Amino acid sequence: MEKYTGIILAGGKSQRMGTDKGLLPLKGKPFISHIYEAMKPIIGDNIVVVSSNADYDALGYTRIEDLIADKGPVGGLYTALKQSKTKFNLVLSVDVPLVSTELLQWLVDKHEDSFMLTQVQVEEKASPLIGVYDRSMRILLGEHLAGNQLKLRGVINEVNHQTLTVPEKWSAQVQNINTEEDYKKIV
């Protein structure tokens, strides 16, 4: 059985960008393809995309829709972890197209099984949507959803987690591309 499931959260409204970020082109391919290809050498094809946008289906990826719509990353993670069959899950948001297999392998290698979650950080900014999540986190995520507590950091603060500082050589890979200005800097 596979040890990891790859999860790409692509369900955001992309209000700051004005269009679905995952489908924005970068070097001839959509953001999501860069992320998928960075995950694949580690995960294989056990990768799901959480999104209600059927346009992703044309790329041939496995897509699942949020069980509870419009609940942000907490809802997307809950949906994905509920469907996951593996204890460990490599989770990425669709707005980190610069991420590399090397960085993801480092994250997976550094994750300690005793932690419910391992996230990365650059300088003082933690990035919980570049992380390894234990499948059992779905229970706490479900409780937060039921109470309409949608701040992912609130969930994280309730569990035993680790935060890894990304080595400088990879620090640019974790930047979120959320605005047109961010996008113009990388194309």
Side-chain angles (χ1 to χ4, degrees):
M1 189 174 127
E2 293 139 329
K3 185 168 181 188
Y4 272 86
T5 298
I7 296 168
I8 303 173
L9 297 176
K13 298 215 182 305
S14 299
Q15 288 166 321
R16 287 179 284 177
M17 187 68 77
T19 187
D20 192 320
K21 292 179 282 200
L23 298 170
L24 283 172
L26 177 65
K27 297 181 185 141
K29 291 184 294 206
F31 277 21
I32 196 161
S33 294
H34 290 276
I35 296 164
Y36 193 98
E37 289 166 15
M39 279 184 162
K40 189 173 166 106
I42 302 163
I43 308 289
D45 285 315
N46 189 25
I47 301 172
V48 297
V49 176
V50 183
S51 176
S52 59
N53 186 345
D55 291 348
Y56 285 108
D57 296 347
L59 300 170
Y61 304 145
T62 302
R63 181 179 63 88
I64 58 176
E65 294 200 25
D66 281 321
L67 293 170
I68 306 166
D70 300 324
K71 297 296 180 185
V74 170
L77 274 168
Y78 172 74
T79 296
L81 294 177
K82 197 141 171 64
Q83 179 169 311
S84 173
K85 307 256 187 302
T86 59
K87 178 169 174 55
F88 303 111
N89 299 272
L90 180 59
V91 173
L92 294 173
S93 61
V94 79
D95 56 7
V96 290
L98 304 178
V99 76
S100 69
T101 301
E102 293 76 21
L103 170 62
L104 297 179
Q105 187 67 61
W106 170 82
L107 169 60
V108 166
D109 291 345
K110 294 278 187 192
H111 171 72
E112 294 175 26
D113 296 358
S114 61
F115 290 104
M116 296 289 285
L117 156 71
T118 299
Q119 62 184 350
V120 300
Q121 81 174 19
V122 170
E123 293 164 3
E124 299 302 309
K125 186 179 185 306
S127 296
L129 294 182
I130 302 174
V132 174
Y133 284 72
D134 191 292
R135 183 172 172 259
S136 63
M137 285 279 294
R138 72 191 184 286
I139 297 161
L140 184 60
L141 288 161
E143 291 169 1
H144 276 252
L145 277 174
N148 213 32
Q149 300 166 317
L150 304 180
K151 294 272 186 247
L152 184 54
R153 294 202 193 285
V155 177
I156 293 167
N157 290 336
E158 289 185 35
V159 298
N160 187 21
H161 66 277
Q162 73 183 133
T163 302
L164 303 172
T165 300
V166 174
E168 176 120 11
K169 64 182 174 180
W170 294 324
S171 61
Q173 294 181 24
V174 302
Q175 66 182 305
N176 296 84
I177 309 303
N178 285 318
T179 65
E180 283 189 59
E181 291 72 38
D182 296 340
Y183 181 51
K184 286 176 184 158
K185 290 178 191 164
I186 64 166
V187 289

